[in-house]
Amino acid sequence: MIGVLALISFLIFAIYNWKPVEVTLWQNLVMETRLPVLALLAFALGFLPAWTYHLSVKWGLDRRVRALENSLKHTALARHHEPQAPATPVARGVDTPVDKSGTGPGETPDPLSPVDAGGEGEGSK
């Protein structure tokens, strides 16, 4: 929508300003052109560097996204192909011993869980 408005406004500008203009490039080199052509040339000289910079940044970000997606895919495939440990059946009605940290008999206690060391808490005296 904005591009269409810009194009229509440029066409109106070109119709009302179709005059020859002399541009001195060097002392003895003079270029005669129409004013809308000069305006388009000035726009292109300002737009092209910014557009090429935008494309290079987009290309770099696309490469990073593809690399992260491939890394995620390979990680998921590696986890899918890992051998699964067989689940140990739990007998119903049989209590398993649990230490004070809330872990099972073969597990290491969570370092962030509150544990009273050797029963030396507030209520043990």
Side-chain angles (χ1 to χ4, degrees):
M1 183 69 183
I2 293 174
V4 172
L5 289 175
L7 181 65
I8 290 172
S9 63
F10 180 75
L11 287 176
I12 292 171
F13 170 79
I15 290 169
Y16 285 109
N17 292 300
W18 195 256
K19 302 174 189 171
V21 195
E22 288 185 358
V23 179
T24 306
L25 300 174
W26 287 279
Q27 284 185 344
N28 58 355
L29 183 60
V30 177
M31 180 177 75
E32 186 174 324
T33 183
R34 302 287 177 174
L35 186 61
V37 174
L38 190 62
L40 272 178
L41 183 65
F43 176 77
L45 285 176
F47 178 75
L48 288 177
W51 186 55
T52 55
Y53 175 73
H54 164 73
L55 288 180
S56 68
V57 168
K58 183 181 171 192
W59 176 72
L61 291 176
D62 284 342
R63 285 185 59 211
R64 287 178 68 184
V65 166
R66 271 181 288 173
L68 289 172
E69 286 174 346
N70 286 337
S71 171
L72 184 64
K73 182 174 70 173
H74 290 301
T75 303
L77 287 175
R79 285 191 180 181
H80 179 69
H81 292 300
E82 283 180 358
Q84 297 290 331
T88 57
V90 177
R92 294 184 184 259
V94 177
D95 293 332
T96 57
V98 175
D99 66 358
K100 295 199 183 246
S101 65
T103 61
E107 299 176 14
T108 59
D110 183 18
L112 300 177
S113 66
V115 177
D116 58 348
E120 297 176 7
E122 294 175 15
S124 63
K125 289 186 179 182

